[in-house]
Amino acid sequence: MFSGIAKLAREGGQLEQKARVEYRELDTRHLLNRCSGERMPFEWTINPYRGCEFGCQYCYARYTHGFMEYREPVDFERKIFAKQFDLRSFSAELRTVRPDEWIAIGTATDPYQPAERRYGLTRKVLEVFARRQSFNLAITTKSDLVARDVDLLVKIARGNNVRVNMTVTTTDTGLARLLEPMAPRPDLRLAALRALSSEGIETSVFACPIMPGINDSRESLAAVAKAAVEAGAKNFGAQVVFLRDSARAVFVPFLERSFPHLARAYRDHFDKQATIRGAYPERIRKILHELRAEHSLSARWPEHAPKWQASFDFSTTEPADNSALVEISAPKYRQRG
């Protein structure tokens, strides 16, 4: 017997069935949700979809399907739920947001995943903000589809604070295809960011996540930082990978297939804890600081953001210990020439 959101997930009708993905409708009480994470630099979140078809091997958000009693890790990328959108209800929800609070769109699932081409929920949300003023919005994606909405983003920017954050894990297309098999290529993402930047939209690049032995070299991060500047981004940051049980269940088998020399070290570490602490994130923090200085990139939100001043150095600030994953950094992935 299901209850709560698990019950709603079973009651929603099927919208479409593809070879490997099922789209379903999800009734939801709220499209705007209060953020419960104390360390998060935003107060509200909007995720128009549940699940994400991009199938990123490292995706931390797979656990969220467990709330709907879908326990298989691959369910997250094969059962995609499009939330119902009600204009009157959503407009009423926005009245609870204070002028100094930030709304993050795309925190658990990508708002511009393939489902958006079919159902346009993200665009419906943006259409509402295009008619309002004094909101603070941050959109995070790894899809070039965001450039479709440049007209709305320009309108929103006239009366609101808005920023688009593009995730670019690596500039190496081959590596990106392994890590993010259904996501647009890095060059397409950067081209979309360039199109937004040229229209005056504030943009950032996130090299997330940083994975030891895979994309953590200074050369790899420098290539992303350089590409960010060329795309017109003003901000650059990264987050060291963390693996909850559901993410580890996908990522470790992926390593065994694609990076067998790294699999044991990852397994030994992440079987004990979900994060990497100590010397490793401090080394990454130092590299990021150097690259930002070299390319005149920022790590913070602009001064006109009254509350969201959090650094883009998402590496942990916990005290150093002996669990840091330091030996996993060699041998590295060889980028294709």
Side-chain angles (χ1 to χ4, degrees), residues 197-263:
S197 299
S198 67
E199 293 294 332
I201 304 300
E202 182 89 13
T203 59
S204 308
V205 167
F206 291 163
C208 297
I210 295 179
M211 294 160 280
I214 298 176
N215 69 333
D216 64 336
S217 70
R218 194 184 194 286
E219 293 75 16
S220 177
L221 291 169
V224 179
K226 181 175 182 291
V229 172
E230 293 173 348
K234 303 300 183 184
N235 312 282
F236 176 64
Q239 176 182 5
V240 173
V241 68
F242 66 98
L243 299 174
R244 297 172 184 254
D245 290 347
S246 56
R248 189 173 68 249
V250 173
F251 194 66
V252 171
F254 160 73
L255 291 176
E256 290 171 343
R257 297 189 304 271
S258 301
F259 300 91
H261 60 284
L262 300 178

Side-chain angles (χ1 to χ4, degrees), residues 2 97 145 164 166 189 197 235-236 281:
F2 297 108
V97 180
L145 183 58
V164 175
M166 185 67 73
R189 303 178 211 176
S197 299
N235 312 282
F236 176 64

